[in-house]
Amino acid sequence: MVKKAKRSAENMNTKLALVMKSGKVTLGYKSTLKALRQGKAKLVFLCNNSLPLRKSEIEYYSMLARTEVYHYSGNNTDLGRACGKHYRVSSLAILDVGDSDILGN
C-alpha cells in the first residue's frame, strides 16, 4: 500500500515536471484564484500544509469553475521542488498541459 502511494506520488512529480517544461503553469495563491475566476485553469494543485481558509476558498472556486483539485501529499517546499523552483509553492494552476498526460488520471 505504501509502495503504491509512493509510486503514484513519484509519477505525479514526473508528470508535473513535464508540464513545467512543455506546458503553461501559474504559481501561487493569487494567480491560481485569478485563473480559476477566468476559467483558464485545467487542474489545481494544493499542498498539504496550506492554510485551511485558503484551501477551502480554492476548492470553492474550483467547484464553481468545474476544475479538478489535486491534493499534493507533500508540503509547500516539496511542491516547489517538484516544480523545479527554489522557493515554496502553496498552490498552482495548470493552464496548458503541453506534452504531459496529467489530466488523464
Side-chain angles (χ1 to χ4, degrees):
M1 178 101 169
V2 174
K3 287 185 180 180
K4 185 177 180 184
K6 186 176 181 182
R7 195 175 315 132
S8 68
E10 289 174 1
N11 189 18
M12 191 56 80
N13 283 347
T14 58
K15 288 181 180 182
L16 184 58
L18 184 59
V19 169
M20 292 298 293
K21 284 184 179 179
S22 65
K24 195 166 185 183
V25 176
T26 179
L27 303 173
Y29 169 71
K30 287 183 181 178
S31 58
T32 299
L33 282 183
K34 187 176 179 180
L36 283 170
R37 275 189 253 121
Q38 293 173 349
K40 294 181 180 180
K42 306 262 192 303
L43 177 67
V44 173
F45 276 77
L46 279 174
C47 67
N48 66 356
N49 66 338
S50 60
L51 297 174
L53 184 62
R54 287 187 173 189
K55 190 180 286 190
S56 65
E57 189 174 6
I58 288 176
E59 288 171 347
Y60 177 71
Y61 276 106
S62 298
M63 185 256 320
L64 291 178
R66 294 184 181 95
T67 304
E68 187 178 346
V69 176
Y70 179 78
H71 294 278
Y72 191 75
S73 59
N75 58 11
N76 54 4
T77 309
D78 297 335
L79 185 57
R81 194 174 302 123
C83 293
K85 304 296 180 188
H86 296 292
Y87 48 84
R88 298 178 297 237
V89 175
S90 64
S91 63
L92 67 95
I94 297 176
L95 308 178
D96 181 31
V97 292
D99 298 331
S100 178
D101 62 342
I102 198 164
L103 294 178
N105 290 344

